[in-house]
Amino acid sequence: MMAERMKDPAPTAKSGLLSLPSALVADILPSSSMLLGRRVCRELRRDLPLYAREVVLVQTQASVIGVSSSSLASDLGTWKRQAVSLKWRAEPDTLVSAALASGIGDMLVRLDLSGTCFGDEGGALLSRLLRRCNVLAHLDLSGTSINDNSAQSIAQGLSDCRSLAELNLRDNKIEAAGLRAIGGAVCGSCEALSRLDLSGNCQLRYAVGELEWVLRNCTSLTDFGLAKIRFFEIY
């Protein structure tokens, strides 16, 4: 498979790499395959101004084994002048550290870390990145084991994401304190926020007052997800 990919022609608009008119999909490969990874990045960088407005970098657990944050930061820097969407399914700290080192935060329009696992330190690291994401519109942190401590850290960064339109926090472990922090950040700063998904944060059944406050103060919201939260028990 890799040998076949090495024989592929340079990426063009007809090569199948364009999944959408304004999006170019590329894989950032681990250091064990860095020769191929650098070739792809170099050729995409050459063709990118002609064919794409947005770069979509997709990374899976299988393709990230052995990659270092420093080598990834170098690759991310390739896209520094383009709008970038990142979808990451491996250790989140690796990506966040690389994004910080590459200075790509101010070009991020979409960040999808769903299904990864955040600890308290990971939340603090993500908060540092979010402070630089002034054009970020979509943030997906669903199923990342975020608890109140990491939620409070992340909230500090969210207050600088003034372009944020969608925030997905479903299937986490957020309780009242975490919701107060998140709500205070997005309601005060994210004037474009239209969708907030808190579904599956089961302990929010005890945070009715905080939920009411968010609904009352986040006037831009048109979609507020609270599925899978049992506010009333029937015996």
Side-chain angles (χ1 to χ4, degrees):
M1 178 67 72
M2 184 169 292
E4 293 176 359
R5 291 185 65 179
M6 288 292 287
K7 295 178 183 178
D8 289 344
T12 68
K14 297 181 180 179
S15 67
L17 286 173
L18 285 175
S19 60
L20 294 170
S22 63
L24 193 60
V25 179
D27 287 321
I28 297 300
L29 300 176
S31 54
S32 59
S33 304
M34 194 51 67
L35 176 62
L36 176 59
R38 286 174 179 165
R39 170 184 175 274
V40 171
C41 287
R42 184 170 60 251
E43 293 178 351
L44 288 177
R45 180 174 54 191
R46 182 191 65 196
D47 291 340
L48 184 60
L50 299 177
Y51 301 125
R53 299 173 189 166
E54 179 182 350
V55 183
V56 182
L57 307 182
V58 180
Q59 188 62 283
T60 63
Q61 181 70 50
S63 62
V64 77
I65 296 173
V67 72
S68 67
S69 61
S70 58
S71 63
L72 180 58
S74 176
D75 287 326
L76 289 177
T78 304
W79 315 104
K80 201 170 180 181
R81 297 182 180 178
Q82 304 293 331
V84 176
S85 294
L86 293 178
K87 184 177 182 179
W88 192 260
R89 291 292 179 271
E91 170 56 49
D93 290 4
T94 302
L95 174 70
V96 176
S97 296
L100 280 166
S102 68
I104 205 172
D106 59 355
M107 300 306 298
L108 272 177
V109 294
R110 182 185 298 268
L111 180 59
D112 181 351
L113 298 174
S114 58
T116 60
C117 187
F118 273 96
D120 293 351
E121 292 183 2
L125 192 61
L126 178 60
S127 179
R128 289 176 54 202
L129 175 61
L130 292 176
R131 291 191 183 108
R132 306 181 185 187
C133 295
N134 52 15
V135 296
L136 184 68
H138 306 274
L139 178 60
D140 190 343
L141 299 176
S142 58
T144 52
S145 300
I146 294 174
N147 58 25
D148 275 0
N149 289 334
S150 47
Q152 290 175 54
S153 295
I154 291 168
Q156 296 176 21
L158 284 175
S159 61
D160 291 314
C161 298
R162 299 185 179 277
S163 298
L164 193 65
E166 296 186 16
L167 177 58
N168 189 345
L169 294 170
R170 67 182 297 137
D171 298 327
N172 281 300
K173 302 174 181 178
I174 300 172
E175 300 183 32
L179 179 58
R180 278 195 297 273
I182 295 289
V186 298
C187 293
S189 303
C190 305
E191 296 180 355
L193 188 68
S194 61
R195 184 173 185 270
L196 175 60
D197 195 347
L198 295 168
S199 303
N201 288 274
C202 297
Q203 294 304 309
L204 290 182
R205 60 183 294 189
Y206 304 113
V208 175
E210 286 80 3
L211 290 168
E212 182 183 0
W213 186 92
V214 171
L215 279 171
R216 187 170 60 250
N217 288 277
C218 292
T219 55
S220 61
L221 282 179
T222 59
D223 186 349
F224 192 37
L226 295 173
K228 300 191 293 184
I229 302 176
R230 296 185 178 181
F231 292 100
F232 303 98
E233 293 284 0
I234 299 177
Y235 296 95

